[in-house]
Structure formats: C-alpha cells, structure tokens
C-alpha cells in the first residue's frame, strides 16, 4: 500500500434525491493516521462504504496506489483492509474464537489472541472471566457462557482488528460504547501498534482526533 486518493467524489444513495458527498477530495499516504470528524449525516460512514466498495461513486474516482478501485478484484481488495464498524457483532463462541474467527490450533495463534486482547484493552476484563479467553460469550449454546457489556463487546471486536494482518485499518466509530478515557487509551494503543501501517478512523470526539496526523 502506498496511497488512497478521493478525487472529486460525489455520491447519493440509490432511490434518494439527497447528495451525501459532493466533490470530496483528499489523499492518504502510507503510514499516516487520519481522523474523519463531522456531525451526524455528514457522510463519514459513507466514505468507508465507498472505500470498501459497498457502493461506487456517482462522480469522481477513488484511487488505490494510483489505480481506480473498480479495477481491483473486490475480494482481494477488501482483504487489504482491517475494519471495525460501529454495528459490531460478537458470536456465541469463546472470546479467543471471536477474536481469531476460528478455533485456536497452536501457540502462535494463542499468542496472537493474547497480544490482541492487550492492544484493545480487553485483557483487563477478560483476565477476570472464569476461563479467561476460553470463556464462551452468551448462553445461547453454553449454560456457563457469560454476557458482556456493550463496551466489553466492543473491545472484543476491536481485538479482532489487531489479530488480522492488514495494510490499512478502517475504524468507523469503534469506541461508541466506551467512556472517553477508555477510548483515548484504545486509540493510543492502536497508533502505537500500527506505526508502520495506515489508519483511518471516524470519531465524534475531537479528543481522540488529536492523536492523528491529519483531520478531515
């Protein structure tokens, strides 16, 4: 990865007359941390949907390493991104399996889970659980399973990002259920761990945006 560039991008959702983005242009280069800040409805999440090609622009173009996104194989393109969305999901399996999205098969995967828990800040509550990272979330399939708070579930979903090999991290309000202190610490850890990677995150709070290299 070298750069992402939005060039005069305009977009409105199908079957509506409202233009969400109009002539939006900016460039993100390798290693930068970018904060996207704006009021509700400004089009912040829409930027992410266009970047991941859930939709294509009505006008303008989005360039990945100087080449139009539409020229890439869509599945191969999406594998280059590590993502956390505000409507995160957790599953009725163990904490570790939620993070790595499979059964733990070796020590390397176990170490990846432990590092991801620490980097997301989830280790503080996971280490207090009955079986730590082997504890099952929810009682849907296991009577010994436990329920987590909204903030705890969100930290588990963020840990999933740290466990993935990505070139470009995209976080859409990944801290909406966290208190301001927990949010700041999460972003501090994120920036520390992704020093050689590129990060774009959406936030309502300017307090977290000050950690970025650039604010859009």
């Amino acid at each position: 990865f070298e750069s992402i560039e939005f060039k005069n991008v305009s977009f409105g959702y199908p079957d509506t007359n409202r233009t969400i983005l109009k002539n939006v242009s900016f460039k993100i280069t390798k290693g930068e941390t970018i904060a996207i800040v704006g009021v509700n409805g400004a089009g912040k999440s829409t930027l992410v949907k266009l970047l991941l090609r859930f939709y294509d622009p009505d006008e303008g173009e989005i360039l990945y390493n100087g080449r139009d996104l539409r020229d890439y194989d869509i599945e191969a393109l999406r594998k280059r991104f590590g993502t956390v969305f505000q409507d995160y999901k957790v599953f009725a399996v163990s904490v570790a399996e939620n993070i790595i999205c499979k059964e733990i098969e070796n020590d390397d995967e176990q170490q990846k889970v432990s590092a991801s828990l620490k980097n997301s800040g989830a280790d503080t509550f996971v280490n207090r659980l009955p079986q730590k990272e082997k504890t099952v979330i929810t009682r849907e399939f296991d009577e010994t399973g436990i329920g987590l708070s909204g903030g705890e579930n969100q930290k588990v979903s963020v840990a999933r990002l740290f466990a993935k090999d990505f070139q470009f991290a995209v976080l859409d309000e990944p801290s909406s259920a966290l208190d301001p202190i927990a949010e700041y610490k999460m972003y501090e850890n994120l920036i520390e761990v992704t020093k050689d990677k590129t990060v774009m995150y959406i936030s309502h709070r300017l307090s977290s945006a000050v950690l970025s290299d650039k604010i859009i």
Side-chain angles (χ1 to χ4, degrees), residues 26-43:
F26 62 87
K27 188 173 185 178
I28 302 172
T29 56
K30 183 177 180 178
E32 283 189 312
T33 297
I34 308 298
I36 308 290
V37 179
V39 297
N40 287 337

Side-chain angles (χ1 to χ4, degrees), residues 64-65 72 76-82 164 166-168:
Y64 186 103
N65 293 345
Y72 288 88
L77 176 74
R78 288 175 180 166
K79 285 180 180 178
R80 304 181 187 192
F81 293 91
K164 183 179 180 183
F166 59 86
Q167 298 179 11
F168 192 117

Side-chain angles (χ1 to χ4, degrees), residues 135-204:
T135 303
V136 172
I137 298 177
T138 82
R139 295 186 177 180
E140 188 172 354
F141 302 118
D142 189 331
E143 290 184 0
T144 65
I146 51 93
L148 301 178
S149 70
E152 290 169 342
N153 278 322
Q154 196 161 45
K155 285 183 179 180
V156 170
S157 72
V158 171
R160 212 175 277 152
L161 169 72
F162 288 110
K164 183 179 180 183
D165 182 24
F166 59 86
Q167 298 179 11
F168 192 117
V170 180
L171 300 96
D172 185 359
E173 300 270 11
S175 54
S176 57
L178 304 183
D179 63 74
I181 294 174
E183 179 192 52
Y184 191 85
K185 287 181 178 178
M186 186 203 76
Y187 280 120
E188 270 193 325
N189 288 345
L190 174 71
I191 291 167
E192 178 67 27
V193 171
T194 58
K195 277 184 176 177
D196 58 339
K197 298 181 185 293
T198 309
V199 180
M200 183 175 86
Y201 64 88
I202 292 170
S203 178
H204 271 105

Side-chain angles (χ1 to χ4, degrees), residues 21-163:
L21 301 171
K22 188 171 183 179
N23 297 330
V24 174
S25 297
F26 62 87
K27 188 173 185 178
I28 302 172
T29 56
K30 183 177 180 178
E32 283 189 312
T33 297
I34 308 298
I36 308 290
V37 179
V39 297
N40 287 337
K44 301 185 302 298
S45 294
T46 300
L47 286 177
V48 175
K49 292 173 184 176
L50 293 175
L51 185 60
L52 298 175
R53 286 208 61 208
F54 296 149
Y55 299 93
D56 290 324
D58 296 330
E59 297 177 13
E61 56 186 351
I62 304 171
L63 306 178
Y64 186 103
N65 293 345
R67 182 179 163 197
D68 195 298
L69 278 188
R70 289 168 284 202
D71 293 340
Y72 288 88
D73 175 79
I74 196 164
E75 288 189 20
L77 176 74
R78 288 175 180 166
K79 285 180 180 178
R80 304 181 187 192
F81 293 91
T83 56
V84 182
F85 296 106
Q86 54 185 316
D87 55 343
Y88 57 88
K89 296 289 186 291
V90 294
F91 306 100
V93 293
S94 72
V95 172
E97 289 168 331
N98 262 282
I99 291 169
I100 208 165
C101 296
K102 63 188 288 293
E103 291 184 357
I104 306 299
E105 297 178 353
N106 53 55
D107 289 341
D108 286 345
E109 290 179 350
Q110 182 60 55
Q111 289 175 14
K112 183 180 288 188
V113 168
S114 298
S116 300
L117 286 168
K118 183 177 180 180
N119 289 329
S120 68
D123 60 328
T124 53
F125 71 84
V126 169
N127 287 335
R128 296 196 298 266
L129 297 177
Q131 293 179 279
K132 298 187 177 180
E133 70 270 12
K134 294 181 181 178
T135 303
V136 172
I137 298 177
T138 82
R139 295 186 177 180
E140 188 172 354
F141 302 118
D142 189 331
E143 290 184 0
T144 65
I146 51 93
L148 301 178
S149 70
E152 290 169 342
N153 278 322
Q154 196 161 45
K155 285 183 179 180
V156 170
S157 72
V158 171
R160 212 175 277 152
L161 169 72
F162 288 110

